[in-house]
Amino acid sequence: MPFLKACDSKDVVNEVGTCVTVAGKKLALFRADGKIFAIDDTCTHDEASLSEGTLIHEEGRCVVECPWHGAHFDICTGAATALPAVTPVHAYVAREVNGAVEVDV
Ligand code: FES
């Protein structure tokens, strides 16, 4: 699958999640440490929207804390790093090109 445009670069603000739909997939985009990250938006515990979560920098990685019950997901790998979620979310390769955010879905 090629990279597809998700949104304009300016729509992804530093440290704040943005929810987009690309190729029918609901994704959470984050800008942190100068990079763009994309993971599935839906928490694997109980379907909260991870783009509404809070970014936390811990132990050399950046995680999003689910707004409902506090599970953590690594925004780089999608790994579930704190309960109650145990199943990872999918992480996607994202990039910025000519003022747009593109995601390899
Ligand atoms: S819905 Fe995300 S931790 Fe429960």
Side-chain angles (χ1 to χ4, degrees):
M1 192 70 142
F3 281 87
L4 297 177
K5 182 177 177 180
C7 63
D8 293 334
S9 287
K10 64 177 172 44
D11 295 333
V12 187
V13 179
N14 204 35
E15 303 284 327
V16 178
T18 301
C19 183
V20 296
T21 301
V22 182
K25 295 181 182 181
K26 203 170 150 197
L27 307 181
L29 303 180
F30 299 97
R31 183 186 298 280
D33 299 327
K35 297 184 202 161
I36 295 281
F37 299 89
I39 59 174
D40 284 328
D41 187 55
T42 304
C43 181
T44 57
H45 176 242
D46 196 14
E47 301 193 357
S49 179
L50 294 176
S51 58
E52 296 175 10
T54 303
L55 283 186
I56 300 170
H57 296 268
E58 60 176 21
E59 299 171 6
R61 66 187 173 204
C62 187
V63 301
V64 59
E65 182 176 67
C66 178
W68 284 8
H69 313 108
H72 288 187
F73 295 91
D74 187 315
I75 63 169
C76 183
T77 66
T81 60
L83 296 173
V86 293
T87 303
V89 290
H90 194 89
Y92 303 84
V93 178
R95 67 185 185 187
E96 290 185 279
V97 178
N98 297 328
V101 174
E102 298 180 343
V103 181
D104 184 357
V105 290

